[in-house]
Amino acid sequence: MRAFYAGLNKLAATGVFTGQSSVCASLNVAAPHSLTDEERNKSEMHLRECIRWASEAALMNKVTIISAEVNIVPAMQTYYAAATFTARAGQDAIARIQGEKAGKDVVMTKWLGLEGTSLIASQRMKELASRYPLGLVEQAADFDRFLSSVPEAATAVQSGVNAIQAVREGGIFGGLWQLARANGVGLVIDLKQIPVKQETIEVCEFYDVNPYELLSGGSMLMITEGGTRLVSELAEQGISAAVIGRTTDNNDRILVNDEEKRFLEPARHDSLYRVLTTS
């Protein structure tokens, strides 16, 4: 599911989901050579769930699934499903930022760390429930409902944004670095304006991880001349967003926290993996 949306959101950031493009997906499944009966039953249930979910997600996002292929891979321990997307873009597909680069608004959709919070909460629910109310942990695990960025990408393109960056690996810091590098701009970002859910704060405090570097699938970064207008247009679609900074015409990527300023560094390993790889 998460890999499906990662590919979908990356494609959406190119501006193809505006009603003038044809988007197709191919499902690819790697299956193990041999399993015990118990392992096979669990894996096949997981596979059926992945295919069912991919079909529903494709229908919801107006994507046509054109093929599904299963390959036997002896080294695999369980079934693994992935998706490959192709698109014939319409006239609304966007290019990287052109012309004057300074003074444009940087808009972020939704909240940081949604995907990482959901993964940690769903896999470490018992640990987290030892400190926090179970309802809070379940709410955090349900953040995967925010993973599709297709609607906001379509609204942004129609609003005339200059650039879009899907956020995922390396969290919001990783996304900001990629946005700046891809478009040849500098950034000044106000950390206090970056939206975050309380559930994410609690999960990150529990495991002592940096929320700004936590897997953030479901969020997008956009460069536009009318950030406030774009935020309002997204709100009309029921999508939360905020202006978090602006672009500059140099290569400096600056993070501001009240009076403190520091430079953004290239993304390190995502904080998620340190949590989920420790017993």
Side-chain angles (χ1 to χ4, degrees):
M1 176 179 75
R2 301 175 196 281
F4 184 94
Y5 269 134
L8 194 65
N9 293 342
K10 186 175 181 179
L11 186 62
T14 68
V16 302
F17 285 95
T18 58
Q20 298 186 22
S21 305
S22 175
V23 180
C24 301
S26 298
L27 299 182
N28 305 284
V29 178
H33 184 267
S34 61
L35 294 170
T36 65
D37 288 342
E38 182 179 0
E39 290 171 337
R40 183 176 295 106
N41 289 336
K42 288 182 179 179
S43 295
E44 289 179 351
M45 287 178 60
H46 177 66
L47 176 60
R48 285 195 294 270
E49 179 66 16
C50 286
I51 293 175
R52 181 196 64 78
W53 185 92
S55 299
E56 292 178 356
L59 180 64
M60 181 171 26
N61 292 283
K62 299 180 180 179
V63 173
T64 301
I65 296 179
I66 58 174
S67 66
E69 182 176 307
V70 178
N71 294 296
I72 303 298
V73 182
M76 297 293 293
Q77 299 299 312
T78 185
Y79 287 92
Y80 176 78
T84 303
F85 295 90
T86 56
R88 184 177 65 229
Q91 295 179 350
D92 288 330
I94 61 173
R96 294 300 181 183
I97 187 170
Q98 303 291 322
E100 177 60 44
K101 297 184 176 183
K104 292 181 169 61
D105 292 327
V106 178
V107 173
M108 175 184 163
T109 66
K110 299 180 184 151
W111 304 269
L112 66 80
L114 289 172
E115 186 176 0
T117 301
S118 173
L119 270 169
I120 294 171
S122 60
Q123 295 191 27
R124 299 296 177 91
M125 188 168 291
K126 186 176 180 180
E127 287 181 1
L128 288 164
S130 68
R131 178 185 297 181
Y132 305 121
L134 181 59
L136 181 146
V137 182
E138 291 175 337
Q139 180 75 8
D142 194 40
F143 280 177
D144 58 7
R145 71 186 188 276
F146 295 120
L147 290 187
S148 175
S149 296
V150 171
E152 53 260 50
T155 297
V157 172
Q158 292 165 356
S159 180
V161 297
N162 299 105
I164 306 177
Q165 178 69 50
V167 185
R168 195 170 189 246
E169 296 283 347
I172 192 63
F173 280 176
L176 287 167
W177 182 270
Q178 293 165 7
L179 179 75
R181 182 178 61 183
N183 293 284
V185 297
L187 299 173
V188 177
I189 302 297
D190 186 345
L191 291 181
K192 291 188 177 297
Q193 297 304 314
I194 295 178
V196 58
K197 288 275 196 180
Q198 186 63 35
E199 290 89 344
T200 297
I201 294 174
E202 304 292 2
V203 167
C204 288
E205 286 186 352
F206 187 94
Y207 292 105
D208 191 27
V209 298
N210 186 344
Y212 297 98
E213 296 178 346
L214 184 62
L215 196 69
S216 290
S219 294
M220 281 193 163
L221 291 166
M222 304 166 179
I223 296 176
T224 180
E225 296 198 14
T228 301
R229 176 174 56 85
L230 176 58
V231 168
S232 296
E233 291 175 355
L234 290 167
E236 290 176 0
Q237 304 298 320
I239 301 164
S240 179
V243 177
I244 64 171
R246 57 183 173 81
T247 62
T248 63
D249 59 2
N250 53 45
N251 290 323
D252 293 340
R253 293 124 193 201
I254 299 173
L255 303 174
V256 179
N257 188 6
D258 290 331
E259 300 301 319
E260 178 187 354
K261 295 182 180 181
R262 65 184 179 90
F263 289 101
L264 178 68
E265 298 178 354
R268 300 171 293 181
H269 291 297
D270 198 286
S271 296
L272 170 76
Y273 305 116
R274 181 170 66 82
V275 176
L276 297 185
T277 55
T278 55
S279 57

